[in-house]
Amino acid sequence: MIAGHSGMHVCSVKVHLCGAPCKLLGKSGCLEECSKVSDHEDEDHQCSAITHACGEPCDLSHATLADGLQYTCKGRCKVSVDVEHDSHQCDAQYCPIFCHLCKRLCSSHNHLHALEADAIHLCGQEHPCPQRCTAPGVCEIDTAPHSIEATFEGMHECFHYTRYSQVAKRLKCVKPIPPGQSQHEGSHDHSLDPDVVHYCQQRCASCQYFCTLPLGHSQQEHETRHGSMSNVRWSVDGPDEEGLEVEGRRFSTNDDGAPM
């Protein structure tokens, strides 16, 4: 028998004691055989184990996470069957759910944290903001135009050419999210410099390149470096069959202006 058991000391359970299966057989900590004297009057067979753990599945079951997936703890309740309890909790001491801003574990010491209403799982560390800048205007204009191979089909000839387009970027926010918070205060900004420049959002009607002047510029006219004139068509004086030769190519009225 284990050290510290209750009752008399005996040489063999089967010789002097009941030895029938314990009524809590299968519970964690059970010693399996009844340690009461043979032919005991009561009908309860119980071993000499000091405690029997409840053993029911941990209540942390089918907890819905932020990504829609569910988490179920595989542990068993550690509370003694002799103790009345409304919830079943295993011997884990921490919340097993990952922080919703990174891959660290939640810092909560409550294993059943995920069962709380509106529980937010955070690791307790500072995080970079995942959002994009929300300030008006264009954060950055890609200086290297995107090129696409295209085919020109005009009245006089057909040829391959490179069409250029431009991309405006909205940069990521640089404000950190404080520990224990799911978002930072204030707006999302791609720079902490109070004098940072955002560019004008106006595009050239002919080539769709962005204006390179600051947002709200005082200059009346917009300014840009033009790309392929994809939104215009040629207008040539004179008969269509004559056309106009430019850089070795012949264009006519209503031909696509994109190659220029």
Side-chain angles (χ1 to χ4, degrees):
M1 300 177 72
I2 63 172
H5 65 82
S6 59
M8 299 182 296
H9 297 280
V10 295
C11 59
S12 173
V13 171
K14 292 184 178 179
V15 173
H16 299 282
L17 303 181
C18 173
C22 176
K23 67 176 182 179
L24 298 175
L25 183 67
K27 297 292 184 181
S28 177
C30 181
L31 298 178
E32 300 182 355
E33 296 177 340
C34 178
S35 61
K36 294 180 180 180
V37 295
S38 298
D39 300 323
H40 54 84
E41 295 181 357
D42 60 296
E43 297 181 357
D44 286 340
H45 297 288
Q46 188 167 350
C47 70
S48 60
I50 297 175
T51 59
H52 288 80
C54 170
E56 290 296 318
C58 180
D59 278 352
L60 186 56
S61 175
H62 301 295
T64 302
L65 309 182
D67 57 5
L69 299 178
Q70 291 189 329
Y71 178 87
T72 295
C73 177
K74 296 181 180 180
R76 296 281 175 171
C77 182
K78 66 175 182 178
V79 182
S80 173
V81 293
D82 299 328
V83 178
E84 290 189 10
H85 52 288
D86 297 325
S87 64
H88 300 292
Q89 183 170 340
C90 66
D91 55 1
Q93 300 296 315
Y94 297 93
C95 177
I97 310 301
F98 287 111
C99 172
H100 82 100
L101 292 176
C102 68
K103 294 184 178 180
R104 302 184 188 96
L105 286 175
C106 177
S107 61
S108 174
H109 289 197
N110 179 11
H111 182 61
L112 304 181
H113 178 220
L115 301 181
E116 297 178 2
D118 302 323
I120 299 177
H121 302 284
L122 296 168
C123 66
Q125 303 295 317
E126 182 179 273
H127 296 91
C129 179
Q131 302 299 321
R132 297 283 174 178
C133 178
T134 56
V138 176
C139 297
E140 183 179 283
I141 300 174
D142 199 337
T143 56
H146 289 239
S147 60
I148 302 174
E149 295 302 314
T151 301
F152 171 80
E153 295 181 358
M155 177 177 290
H156 298 284
E157 55 183 304
C158 176
F159 58 86
H160 297 290
Y161 71 98
T162 302
R163 176 182 293 178
Y164 293 98
S165 61
Q166 197 177 59
V167 175
K169 295 181 179 179
R170 186 154 290 279
L171 302 179
K172 289 188 66 175
C173 177
V174 297
K175 290 183 178 178
I177 299 176
Q181 302 293 324
S182 58
Q183 60 184 16
H184 59 73
E185 295 182 353
S187 60
H188 299 289
D189 300 298
H190 79 263
S191 174
L192 299 180
D193 182 355
D195 298 322
V196 65
V197 173
H198 282 81
Y199 296 97
C200 178
Q201 293 175 291
Q202 187 66 38
R203 288 175 178 261
C204 171
S206 299
C207 69
Q208 292 297 294
Y209 269 31
F210 285 92
C211 176
T212 55
L213 297 176
L215 182 68
H217 56 82
S218 58
Q219 181 175 310
Q220 185 174 1
E221 297 293 331
H222 296 286
E223 186 175 304
T224 190
R225 299 179 182 87
H226 293 289
S228 299
M229 297 295 184
S230 56
N231 286 353
V232 298
R233 290 192 170 273
W234 282 90
S235 178
V236 180
D237 292 336
D240 289 345
E241 59 272 11
E242 291 186 8
L244 177 68
E245 185 173 328
V246 179
E247 297 180 356
R249 301 292 187 183
R250 184 170 293 278
F251 301 95
S252 185
T253 298
N254 286 328
D255 280 353
D256 188 358
M260 299 305 296

